[in-house]
Amino acid sequence: MKINIRHEEEKEYQLIEKITREAFWNLYTPGSVEHLIVHQLREHPDYLPELSFVIEVNSEIVGSIFYSKSSVIDSTGKEFPVVSFGPVSIAPNHQHQGYGKLLIEHSIAEAKKLGYDAIIIGGFPYHYHRFGFIGTKKYNISMPDGKYYTGIMALPLQENALDHVQGQVFFSECMEPDLTTLVTYDENFPKKKATT
């Protein structure tokens, strides 16, 4: 078995969006919006292509991870740049085989090598604690509503990177897709039934 992690090519965009759609279909909400996030993210100034990857198994793309810029803003308005990842998608017939773990580990190592200070994400803690993510409350980093949520987690990439950072985390607006375009956009994909 040959596994390869690399950057995506433009000719693969729709295939990767299709895999993302399949991976998230009816998982958290009826249908999927994650493939639209990927589609719109690529055109957004917060997109970080140098940290976004696909994973191939025997030359077949089976998953992807995408990164975007985020920031922590303190009470004085000072901004501390961080990065975030998501969606992370693995094709249904390749899930639970460790490919998502490989993608995340690879991208974390690349972010560290490129000099990024920290990653802040939203997700289920049991998925991400094994990579070293912990709740942002430890760093006095809340959501914009001032609350700390167990699903908002941080991973410093450089020594003491978050020790003197506190405030509110703001994820890129690109993570909130323009849902008015979803129905038209979905016409590019095979018809599937969304559960309600």
Side-chain angles (χ1 to χ4, degrees), residues 35-109:
H35 57 310
L36 181 59
I37 291 174
V38 169
H39 179 72
Q40 295 179 346
L41 171 60
R42 291 193 191 99
E43 302 299 320
H44 197 280
D46 289 341
Y47 176 46
L48 294 170
E50 67 272 24
L51 291 180
S52 300
F53 298 94
V54 297
I55 185 167
E56 295 176 310
V57 177
N58 297 330
S59 300
E60 175 192 358
I61 295 174
V62 302
S64 60
I65 186 169
F66 288 85
Y67 272 74
S68 55
K69 298 174 186 176
S70 298
S71 61
V72 176
I73 300 177
D74 70 13
S75 59
T76 70
K78 185 176 180 181
E79 185 174 340
F80 302 89
V82 296
V83 298
S84 302
F85 64 71
V88 183
S89 308
I90 302 294
N93 60 333
H94 286 86
Q95 291 176 3
H96 311 297
Q97 297 173 46
Y99 299 125
K101 179 176 181 285
L102 289 174
L103 268 176
I104 292 170
E105 288 176 342
H106 180 87
S107 66
I108 288 173

Side-chain angles (χ1 to χ4, degrees), residues 6-193:
R6 61 170 175 81
H7 296 299
E8 65 177 358
E9 298 177 19
E10 188 173 352
K11 64 184 180 181
E12 300 163 333
Y13 285 3
Q14 188 167 12
L15 170 63
I16 292 161
E17 291 165 24
K18 181 182 177 186
I19 292 169
T20 303
R21 183 177 185 251
E22 293 291 328
F24 283 95
W25 192 261
N26 291 336
L27 185 60
Y28 301 121
T29 58
S32 169
V33 299
E34 286 77 8
H35 57 310
L36 181 59
I37 291 174
V38 169
H39 179 72
Q40 295 179 346
L41 171 60
R42 291 193 191 99
E43 302 299 320
H44 197 280
D46 289 341
Y47 176 46
L48 294 170
E50 67 272 24
L51 291 180
S52 300
F53 298 94
V54 297
I55 185 167
E56 295 176 310
V57 177
N58 297 330
S59 300
E60 175 192 358
I61 295 174
V62 302
S64 60
I65 186 169
F66 288 85
Y67 272 74
S68 55
K69 298 174 186 176
S70 298
S71 61
V72 176
I73 300 177
D74 70 13
S75 59
T76 70
K78 185 176 180 181
E79 185 174 340
F80 302 89
V82 296
V83 298
S84 302
F85 64 71
V88 183
S89 308
I90 302 294
N93 60 333
H94 286 86
Q95 291 176 3
H96 311 297
Q97 297 173 46
Y99 299 125
K101 179 176 181 285
L102 289 174
L103 268 176
I104 292 170
E105 288 176 342
H106 180 87
S107 66
I108 288 173
E110 193 68 14
K112 187 171 185 177
K113 185 172 80 174
L114 291 174
Y116 289 100
D117 286 328
I119 302 171
I120 298 182
I121 58 168
F124 291 105
Y126 62 85
H127 285 315
Y128 300 109
H129 281 170
R130 58 182 166 163
F131 302 106
F133 285 92
I134 59 172
T136 56
K137 187 171 185 179
K138 175 182 177 179
Y139 302 105
N140 292 313
I141 297 172
S142 71
M143 287 293 285
D145 62 5
K147 295 181 180 178
Y148 301 94
Y149 297 90
T150 56
I152 306 301
M153 296 161 282
L155 175 67
L157 298 174
Q158 314 299 332
E159 189 173 357
N160 304 319
L162 293 176
D163 287 2
H164 305 290
V165 176
Q166 58 183 345
Q168 299 175 343
V169 61
F170 291 85
F171 296 107
S172 173
E173 63 180 12
C174 64
M175 300 310 293
E176 298 292 335
D178 179 3
L179 296 180
T180 63
T181 68
L182 182 60
V183 173
T184 303
Y185 169 66
D186 258 345
E187 292 174 358
N188 298 308
F189 300 91
K191 289 196 179 300
K192 291 173 66 74
K193 186 175 181 180

